[in-house]
Amino acid sequence: MQILANFINGEFLAPKGGRYLDNIEPASGKVYGQIPDSDEADLTLAIDAADKAFPAWSAMPLEQRADILTRISQRILERLEELAAAESKDNGKPLSLAKMVDIPRAASNFAFFAHACSQFSSEAHAMAGSAINYSLRQPLGIVGCISPWNLPLYLFTWKIAPALAAGNCVIAKPSEITPLTAYLLGEICNDAGLPPGVLSILHGRGADIGAALVSHPKIKGLSFTGGTATGKAIAQATAGQLKKVSLELGGKNPALVFADCDVDKTVDALVRASFANQGQICLCPSRLYIERPIYDRFKAAFVEKAVSLIPGDPAQVECKFGALVSQAHLNKVLGYIQLAKDEGGTLLCGGEQVQVPGRCAEGYFVKPTVFEGLDNSCRTNQEEIFGPVVTLQPFDTEEEALVMANDSQYGLASTLWTSDLARAHRLGEKLETGIVWVNCWLLRDLRTPFGGMKGSGLGREGGLEAMRFFTEVKNVCISFI
Ligand code: NAD
């Protein structure tokens, strides 16, 4: 039984209250560890440590700070195999995916922001003949970072790295469902020479330690990724304190497939995009709109490829499709599959839980599932399922596709599949999503603004957007007349 600890002031500490939560392996359904069920007493220790660490950390020469972040990135890569195995075990994702995507990206997050902090500059505004204004960008102080379970270390570090790079001290809370790689990050930070107290990692439930972190008056900024309902609760909890908040929330992402696309390539790309991480990536397309002349061809090829993704033990190197993250999430996804049937959808493949023989017999596996024949306004097409469930709908005109794509409370990412450049630009302007990918998906340049509109969030992460979020800007105006 693996017992995890909080990481506070460079030390691994048991929760003050002595309470723990079970950690379950999704592929086997078995408890394999325990994590601290932290409370305000643990938060107080972390805040005190951050308070002490802040003056030296925020004043450290940039090159030195960048060196530490670079070393964290290097240590992550040195421990790639171990971290990938931990991520796969904790989350149910294929080991191959954790090795190829999650862990390398966590390392890139630190490497990227190590460079970014030494390249970040502020503005000057000259008032001809009379004065010069310049802006100072200073760290906020102590900030909170809260992340979800679907891309555990990837998203945890995507917040922590820029917050540290900008000179803040950070108190971070990973999802209680996937705590393991966050725990290991504490070891890595010590090893890389991050001074004690600069980063604390507290484990526990969102409603307890998460809510306490959000509302603590010493937390000057909060970067959150998770569900839209939680994001709204956080916005309400922080409104009275007027603290800086960045919210990256849920999605229900449209894919617009035009008859002039390369159909074979598009099918390959969209099967991968829809079912990557068992459909548990906020960016996965789940509403697929296909121009009528290629609808039947696309459907046949898409379903054939989806069926070839066989759920299996994520620890096996050949596994391409693993387990859902928890029993509760499995129940939610199965509930939506039943709803799609009740709403009159035609099931084209999947639609059921599967038992993977051997050690995974009690795991949380669902086959890739595709429906057609559902109205755009039904709940299946409007609510975030966050699992391997996709709907197909035909369309006749570009305008009709655009209206259906934008008919959503969400606005995170859309994909557009066409060889018509003018159409790509036209729709790129009109789609109501924070990200529009044309003939690609999840192609990421870390300098670009990342985030959603409407119910998908407030604010942007990535590149200089993140450096701006984690700093307070001050204008200094000097008259010379
Ligand atoms: P969640 O909102 O339940 O939890 C996210 C995190 O918030 C967890 O660490 C949780 O413990 C914490 N939390 C829960 N309640 C809290 C509260 N009241 N105060 C403070 N913290 C609280 O989300 P989840 O189920 O872990 O993740 C899935 C969701 O995340 C999906 O909706 C998905 O679309 C979204 N997501 C969005 C992005 C993005 O970049 N927009 C990326 C990944 C996931």
Side-chain angles (χ1 to χ4, degrees):
M1 189 67 89
Q2 194 170 27
I3 314 281
L4 302 190
N6 288 323
F7 179 66
I8 301 172
N9 205 26
E11 294 178 283
F12 289 94
L13 302 179
K16 292 287 258 182
R19 291 183 308 281
Y20 286 85
L21 304 168
D22 285 341
N23 193 16
I24 297 171
E25 180 186 14
S28 68
K30 301 224 160 52
V31 175
Y32 76 101
Q34 293 203 305
I35 73 163
D37 183 9
S38 308
D39 62 24
E40 286 183 24
D42 304 296
L43 179 58
T44 302
L45 288 181
I47 295 273
D48 289 349
D51 254 342
K52 287 200 190 82
F54 181 70
W57 177 249
S58 54
M60 185 180 275
L62 279 180
E63 295 72 19
Q64 234 173 298
R65 208 189 285 156
D67 280 350
I68 294 175
L69 298 183
T70 302
R71 283 202 296 275
I72 297 174
S73 169
Q74 289 163 346
R75 300 289 189 281
I76 291 174
L77 287 180
E78 283 161 20
R79 293 177 67 171
L80 187 140
E81 296 286 332
E82 177 197 0
L83 288 165
E87 205 72 297
S88 169
K89 182 165 189 164
D90 229 15
N91 172 278
K93 68 177 61 206
L95 180 60
S96 55
L97 187 68
K99 262 191 197 171
M100 270 170 42
V101 178
D102 292 74
I103 308 306
R105 172 58 192 276
S108 302
N109 289 341
F110 277 104
F112 177 85
F113 284 106
H115 292 298
C117 73
S118 56
Q119 307 294 316
F120 191 40
S121 57
S122 57
E123 300 90 33
H125 300 92
M127 300 168 74
S130 61
I132 179 88
N133 295 272
Y134 64 87
S135 26
L136 291 174
R137 288 212 165 251
Q138 295 165 323
L140 299 177
I142 310 175
V143 299
C145 296
I146 300 182
S147 58
W149 48 258
N150 64 320
L151 299 167
L153 193 63
Y154 177 134
L155 289 176
F156 199 52
T157 55
W158 179 233
K159 299 181 173 307
I160 292 171
L164 294 179
N168 300 285
C169 288
V170 177
I171 301 181
K173 193 199 94 61
S175 169
E176 59 273 41
I177 303 172
T178 52
L180 190 46
T181 48
Y183 168 79
L184 296 171
L185 182 66
E187 290 179 6
I188 287 169
C189 288
N190 272 350
D191 195 28
L194 189 73
V198 170
L199 169 67
S200 287
I201 299 170
L202 301 179
H203 298 276
R205 283 186 274 231
D208 298 334
I209 188 64
L213 178 60
V214 164
S215 305
H216 198 289
K218 286 252 176 161
I219 296 291
K220 298 298 178 200
L222 186 90
S223 175
F224 170 81
T225 298
T228 298
T230 316
K232 286 181 181 170
I234 289 175
Q236 277 171 349
T238 51
Q241 296 177 325
L242 291 177
K243 64 177 65 164
K244 245 181 154 177
V245 178
S246 161
L247 302 170
E248 297 296 338
L249 310 176
K252 184 78 181 176
N253 306 305
L256 284 67
V257 182
F258 287 88
D260 59 17
C261 75
D262 179 328
V263 178
D264 294 338
K265 270 194 188 164
T266 302
V267 167
D268 279 355
L270 276 176
V271 168
R272 185 177 77 84
S274 304
F275 300 118
N277 205 33
Q278 299 72 250
Q280 302 167 123
I281 299 180
C282 52
L283 306 163
C284 288
S286 53
R287 299 180 284 143
L288 275 50
Y289 302 105
I290 301 118
E291 201 169 5
R292 203 174 299 275
I294 58 161
Y295 184 82
D296 289 336
R297 178 178 162 204
F298 180 94
K299 173 172 89 173
F302 188 86
V303 169
E304 189 187 331
K305 276 214 170 297
V307 168
S308 72
L309 287 172
I310 314 269
D313 182 348
Q316 301 297 320
V317 278
E318 67 279 6
C319 175
K320 295 276 180 288
F321 193 88
L324 297 188
V325 78
S326 67
Q327 179 72 57
H329 195 56
L330 170 75
N331 294 345
K332 176 183 162 183
V333 170
L334 291 174
Y336 271 107
I337 290 173
Q338 185 57 48
L339 175 72
K341 291 177 184 166
D342 296 344
E343 288 184 320
T346 304
L347 181 65
L348 299 176
C349 68
E352 56 188 357
Q353 188 176 357
V354 264
Q355 206 185 32
V356 172
R359 77 170 199 100
C360 293
E362 305 293 316
Y364 314 133
F365 296 90
V366 171
K367 286 185 187 168
T369 297
V370 183
F371 281 98
E372 68 171 352
L374 283 158
D375 191 81
N376 204 47
S377 61
C378 71
R379 284 182 56 204
T380 309
N381 275 325
Q382 291 295 326
E383 297 177 14
E384 184 186 43
I385 301 174
F386 211 52
V389 183
V390 162
T391 65
L392 308 183
Q393 293 175 74
F395 68 84
D396 292 301
T397 65
E398 185 180 305
E399 184 55 26
E400 185 192 0
L402 180 68
V403 168
M404 289 199 289
N406 283 345
D407 174 25
S408 172
Q409 61 167 313
Y410 294 107
L412 188 51
S414 50
T415 58
L416 193 51
W417 306 85
T418 180
S419 57
D420 181 339
L421 191 58
R423 190 204 312 278
H425 286 297
R426 214 162 39 232
L427 288 176
E429 269 186 21
K430 291 182 181 160
L431 280 161
E432 294 168 359
T433 55
I435 301 156
V436 179
W437 274 299
V438 181
N439 297 322
C440 61
W441 175 74
L442 208 57
L443 187 55
R444 294 281 293 119
D445 178 329
L446 302 189
R447 293 170 300 178
T448 58
F450 177 92
M453 50 175 77
K454 303 201 279 191
S456 292
L458 273 183
R460 293 292 181 273
E461 299 184 320
L464 298 182
E465 298 279 343
M467 295 299 287
R468 289 191 191 105
F469 174 75
F470 284 115
T471 50
E472 186 77 76
V473 67
K474 181 192 292 175
N475 187 65
V476 180
C477 177
I478 302 175
S479 165
F480 50 80
I481 46 173

